[in-house]
C-alpha cells in the first residue's frame, strides 16, 4: 500500500504539519525532529507527491542554475555543491549553459520562470538593467556580480587579484600585464581595479579576451610585444593558454615571464609549470547561493579568496 504523510507523522510521533514542513520548509523544523522525520520517511519508503505539493503550496521545489560556460572547469565544483545543497532540502536543480551569450541568459531565465521557484545566475553577462527586469519574473541569486536589490554571493576576486600583483611586485617585477576577460565582465573589472591599486607597478591591460585557453594563447603575441616580466590572467584557462602561446614563441615560464591565474582549477595544478593562482571558493558559493534562494534572503555575502604560490612565478632575470 502507498505510504502517506499521515503514516510518517504517526510513526514519527509528530503532527502531519510538521512532516509537511520537514519537506517543504526544512529550515523551520528543529534539527532533531527533522532528522527523525526524514529517517522514518526513508524507512517507510515515503515520497512526497510533488505535483500535489505544488498545488497546495504554490512551490515546485525546482531550482534553476545558469552558468556562463559549463565547459569551464571553474563551474563544476559550484554546480556539484549547489546540487548537493538543493537535494538536501528536497529540491531538484536544473542546470543550463549560456555559452557567454547575454541573449541566451535572458531566454533561459524567462523559460525557467514558469518551471522553478528561483534561479541562481552565475557570472551573468547581461546588463544590470536587463537583470533588474528579469528579477521581476522570478526570484534569483546572483553569483559573482553586484546587483542592486538582489541577493548576491561574491567571491572577493579583487582581494585575490591584489594579492597576486603584490606577489609579483615582491619578486621584483615592475611592469606587469593584465590579460583581461570578456567585455562587460564584472569579474574582469574588479580584477583591473584591484591590480591598478598596487603601488610601484606599471600595469599594461591587454584585452578584452575570450575566457578560454584559446583566448590566452591568442594574447601571447601582445604579451611578448609589450615587454612585461609578469602577467596576471583573467582565469586559469587563460593563463594555461598563454603559457603555451609564450612557449611557442620561445619564452619560458617563469624564467622569462611569470604568470598568475585565477580560480585554482585542477588542470592548473597538473600544468607544467604548476600554476600560481588565486583560489576561488566556488563550492562554498554554490551552497550559499542555494541557501539564500530557498530561504528567500536578500543579502550580499562576500567569500574570501587566497593566493596559492606554485611554480609559474619567480624573480625576473
Amino acid at each position: 500500500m502507498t505510504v502517506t504523510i499521515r503514516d510518517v507523522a504517526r510513526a514519527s510521533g509528530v503532527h502531519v504539519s510538521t512532516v509537511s514542513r520537514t519537506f517543504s520548509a526544512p529550515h523551520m523544523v528543529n534539527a532533531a525532529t527533522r532528522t527523525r522525520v526524514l529517517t522514518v520517511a526513508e524507512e517507510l519508503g515515503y515520497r512526497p507527491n510533488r505535483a500535489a505539493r505544488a498545488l497546495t503550496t504554490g512551490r515546485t521545489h525546482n531550482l534553476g542554475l545558469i552558468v556562463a560556460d559549463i565547459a569551464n572547469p571553474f563551474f563544476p565544483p559550484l554546480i556539484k555543491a549547489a546540487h548537493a545543497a538543493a537535494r538536501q532540502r528536497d529540491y531538484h536543480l536544473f542546470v543550463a549553459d549560456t555559452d557567454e551569450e547575454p541573449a541566451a541568459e535572458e531566454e533561459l531565465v524567462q523559460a525557467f520562470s514558469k518551471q522553478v521557484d528561483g534561479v541562481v545566475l552565475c557570472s551573468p553577462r547581461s546588463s544590470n538593467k536587463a537583470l533588474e527586469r528579469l528579477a521581476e519574473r522570478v526570484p534569483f541569486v546572483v553569483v559573482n556580480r553586484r546587483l542592486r536589490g538582489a541577493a548576491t554571493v561574491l567571491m572577493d576576486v579583487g582581494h585575490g587579484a591584489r594579492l597576486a600583483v603584490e606577489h609579483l611586485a615582491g619578486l621584483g617585477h615592475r611592469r606587469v600585464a593584465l590579460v583581461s576577460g570578456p567585455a562587460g565582465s564584472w569579474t574582469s573589472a574588479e580584477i583591473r581595479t584591484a591590480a591598478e591599486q598596487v603601488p610601484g607597478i606599471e600595469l599594461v591591460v591587454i584585452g578584452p579576451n575570450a575566457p578560454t585557453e584559446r583566448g590566452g594563447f591568442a594574447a601571447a603575441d601582445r604579451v611578448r610585444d609589450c615587454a612585461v616580466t609578469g602577467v596576471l590572467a583573467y582565469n586559469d584557462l587563460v593563463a594555461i593558454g598563454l603559457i603555451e602561446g609564450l612557449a611557442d614563441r620561445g619564452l619560458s615560464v617563469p624564467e622569462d615571464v611569470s604568470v598568475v591565474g585565477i580560480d585554482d582549477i585542477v588542470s592548473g595544478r597538473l600544468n607544467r609549470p604548476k600554476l600560481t593562482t588565486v583560489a576561488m571558493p566556488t563550492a562554498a558559493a554554490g551552497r550559499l547561493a542555494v541557501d539564500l534562494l530557498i530561504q528567500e534572503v536578500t543579502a550580499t555575502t562576500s567569500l574570501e579568496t587566497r593566493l596559492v604560490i606554485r611554480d609559474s612565478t619567480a624573480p625576473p632575470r
Side-chain angles (χ1 to χ4, degrees):
M1 295 178 62
T2 302
V3 178
T4 69
I5 191 171
R6 293 184 183 279
D7 297 325
V8 177
R10 191 180 304 111
S12 304
V14 299
H15 195 272
V16 169
S17 62
T18 302
V19 179
S20 177
R21 278 197 299 275
T22 297
F23 288 98
S24 62
H27 58 284
M28 297 177 63
V29 181
N30 173 277
T33 302
R34 184 172 67 241
T35 300
R36 184 166 77 253
V37 170
L38 292 174
T39 300
V40 169
E42 184 67 28
E43 290 174 351
L44 295 179
Y46 172 72
R47 294 292 180 270
N49 186 317
R50 290 180 175 272
R53 188 199 304 173
L55 288 174
T56 57
T57 66
R59 300 179 71 88
T60 64
H61 270 240
N62 296 327
L63 302 175
L65 174 64
I66 299 175
V67 299
D69 179 8
I70 203 167
N72 186 330
F74 170 81
F75 289 110
L78 187 151
I79 294 170
K80 189 173 181 64
H83 178 267
R87 188 176 181 185
Q88 188 176 28
R89 293 170 180 260
D90 195 34
Y91 278 76
H92 287 162
L93 188 72
F94 302 133
V95 181
D97 175 19
T98 69
D99 200 25
E100 303 280 351
E101 291 290 341
E105 207 163 71
E106 296 187 41
E107 291 171 7
L108 285 167
V109 170
Q110 291 175 12
F112 270 151
S113 67
K114 304 167 186 175
Q115 307 171 53
V116 301
D117 297 328
V119 174
V120 177
L121 269 174
C122 298
S123 303
R125 302 299 185 224
S126 299
S127 67
N128 281 359
K129 185 174 292 186
L131 291 175
E132 288 167 5
R133 186 173 63 251
L134 291 171
E136 298 173 0
R137 301 182 65 94
V138 63
F140 61 64
V141 174
V142 183
V143 177
N144 261 10
R145 174 83 168 267
R146 290 187 186 275
L147 184 65
R148 183 180 56 192
T152 55
V153 178
L154 305 175
M155 289 173 264
D156 195 354
V157 68
H159 172 70
R162 185 179 180 92
L163 291 178
V165 177
E166 287 175 345
H167 167 63
L168 291 172
L171 290 172
H173 298 275
R174 294 295 174 261
R175 185 172 166 85
V176 173
L178 169 60
V179 180
S180 61
S185 164
W186 177 86
T187 299
S188 193
E190 288 288 299
I191 293 169
R192 178 172 180 170
T193 298
E196 289 175 337
Q197 294 174 356
V198 178
I201 290 293
E202 180 184 357
L203 191 71
V204 180
V205 180
I206 297 173
N209 301 281
T212 61
E213 290 182 56
R214 184 175 296 179
F217 189 91
D221 280 332
R222 287 169 290 169
V223 170
R224 178 196 59 192
D225 294 344
C226 70
V228 296
T229 60
V231 177
L232 173 60
Y234 170 76
N235 64 18
D236 285 353
L237 288 180
V238 171
I240 291 168
L242 175 64
I243 291 172
E244 182 182 355
L246 292 173
D248 280 3
R249 289 154 180 80
L251 296 176
S252 297
V253 174
E255 292 78 9
D256 298 309
V257 183
S258 287
V259 176
V260 183
I262 293 176
D263 285 348
D264 194 24
I265 61 175
V266 172
S267 51
R269 302 167 216 165
L270 302 176
N271 195 63
R272 292 296 180 269
K274 294 182 179 180
L275 189 62
T276 295
T277 187
V278 175
M280 301 283 275
T282 49
R287 286 191 297 269
L288 181 57
V290 167
D291 286 345
L292 292 177
L293 193 58
I294 293 174
Q295 295 178 31
E296 300 179 359
V297 175
T298 301
T300 296
T301 305
S302 184
L303 301 176
E304 186 176 341
T305 55
R306 60 188 175 85
L307 181 67
V308 181
I309 300 172
R310 297 194 181 104
D311 303 333
S312 64
T313 50
R317 288 188 186 275

